[in-house]
Amino acid sequence: MLRAVLLIRVVPVAAAIMLSAAALATAERPSGAARLPDLVQEVPSELEITATGPPTRPVYRLGFRSAVSNIGRGPLVISGRRASADVATMTADQVVERDGAPQGVVSDVGRLRYVVSPDHRHWHLLGFDRYQLRRVGQPVAATVDDRKTGFCLGDRYPVLNRRLRAAVPKPTYTSRCGLGDPELTGIQEGISVGYGDDYAATLEGQYLRLTGLASGRYVLVHDVNADRRLHELHYDNNAASLLIKLRWRKHQPRVRVLRVCPETARCDRHIG
């Protein structure tokens, strides 16, 4: 299949890659001794349009960078296990650090699967982050959902913000999630406090299909831990969105960012 990268790129909005002060201010001490993470969904950024398939019938996609950071009291730790290599997926448990006590475990918060893709071969946590393109003013059925195969979690970049309660230590989760080892029966991955996990627009699954959509306004939503199976300090900063305008010119799509909305999936709220 031909993959052609078009010379179409949306200039990223600076605010889309910054953590908001309000999000960082929510890292309050929880009740009890559990040191829970607090996952913050960054606004989609670095939008670009690509085309796949034959030149006579290209399929256009909207690609984007996604990023999730942890500003909580403890790391997000995912421990995967399976009885044998004959079982297709690992059960994912969440390991929770506790003050002055042994670690706790939240059982069965998801699944990990070994994914083979042109740009990676390792163990993915399924459904960690969800992407959706929803047309403004249309029913739920008028949406495009992602087909992302999962996420290899890690400390990919430091979160530089004075509101973090402690100095950011050296990264802990730097493995490549069992790269090239589909026979593993156990694995651990996660995101330390003060770090984030990000994915470039060019990676597998970092896009939503544009072909077949009508011109108009759409909301691009990124939502981490959408099913709330992972235990966190707060959930009100788990979604972020963009309001965009899609136009077709000479059978090719153009996208323009109209609004940047951290901490909400409803970037279309209160518009005319």
Side-chain angles (χ1 to χ4, degrees):
M1 299 287 284
L2 173 67
R3 178 179 174 83
V5 179
L6 301 182
L7 297 178
I8 305 171
R9 192 166 184 90
V10 179
V11 176
V13 183
I17 60 175
M18 298 175 60
L19 290 173
S20 69
L24 293 167
T26 60
E28 302 170 350
R29 184 178 180 85
S31 59
R35 295 171 55 196
L36 293 173
D38 186 9
L39 301 177
V40 179
Q41 175 71 65
E42 294 191 30
V43 179
S45 62
E46 300 179 12
L47 305 188
E48 63 179 42
I49 295 174
T50 59
T52 62
T56 55
R57 297 188 64 183
V59 174
Y60 293 103
R61 295 168 171 172
L62 176 64
F64 39 75
R65 173 185 179 266
S66 69
V68 173
S69 59
N70 178 11
I71 61 166
R73 294 193 62 241
L76 171 67
V77 183
I78 299 297
S79 179
R81 55 183 170 77
R82 57 178 176 166
S84 73
D86 296 328
V87 181
T89 61
M90 293 188 191
T91 299
D93 297 333
Q94 181 181 357
V95 179
V96 179
E97 293 186 354
R98 297 179 181 275
D99 291 329
Q103 293 177 329
V105 175
V106 182
S107 299
D108 196 11
V109 295
R111 291 289 184 273
L112 293 125
R113 183 186 298 275
Y114 188 81
V115 174
V116 176
S117 178
D119 50 24
H120 53 251
R121 295 168 178 253
H122 50 200
W123 289 89
H124 276 182
L125 177 63
L126 306 180
F128 174 71
D129 208 1
R130 306 302 310 186
Y131 312 139
Q132 186 180 80
L133 194 58
R134 172 174 49 83
R135 182 153 190 197
V136 173
Q138 297 297 313
V140 175
T143 61
V144 179
D145 294 308
D146 70 85
R147 297 189 178 185
K148 180 82 173 175
T149 57
F151 298 80
C152 167
L153 302 184
D155 298 341
R156 312 301 179 202
Y157 65 95
V159 178
L160 303 177
N161 196 291
R162 291 176 298 176
R163 298 201 179 200
L164 287 170
R165 294 180 177 272
V168 176
K170 291 183 178 180
T172 299
Y173 300 99
T174 58
S175 76
R176 302 183 71 182
C177 304
L179 180 70
D181 197 348
E183 301 301 313
L184 286 177
T185 56
I187 196 169
Q188 190 171 92
E189 54 189 73
I191 308 175
S192 300
V193 177
Y195 283 90
D197 185 57
D198 62 343
Y199 300 85
T202 55
L203 292 178
E204 176 271 332
Q206 291 296 124
Y207 53 79
L208 291 168
R209 182 183 173 116
L210 292 177
T211 297
L213 297 181
S215 295
R217 291 181 298 183
Y218 291 82
V219 180
L220 173 61
V221 180
H222 287 186
D223 191 359
V224 65
N225 190 22
D227 57 11
R228 304 296 188 258
R229 294 176 72 176
L230 299 175
H231 287 218
E232 301 183 53
L233 286 176
H234 308 282
Y235 299 96
D236 55 1
N237 50 12
N238 283 37
S241 56
L242 296 177
L243 179 65
I244 64 175
K245 185 174 183 179
L246 170 65
R247 296 183 65 184
W248 292 87
R249 291 183 177 178
K250 297 182 179 180
H251 307 292
Q252 292 187 352
R254 299 291 188 272
V255 169
R256 181 162 62 96
V257 175
L258 303 178
R259 183 182 295 173
V260 177
C261 300
E263 299 185 26
T264 179
R266 295 300 309 273
C267 210
D268 54 336
R269 200 168 275 175
H270 308 306
I271 64 174

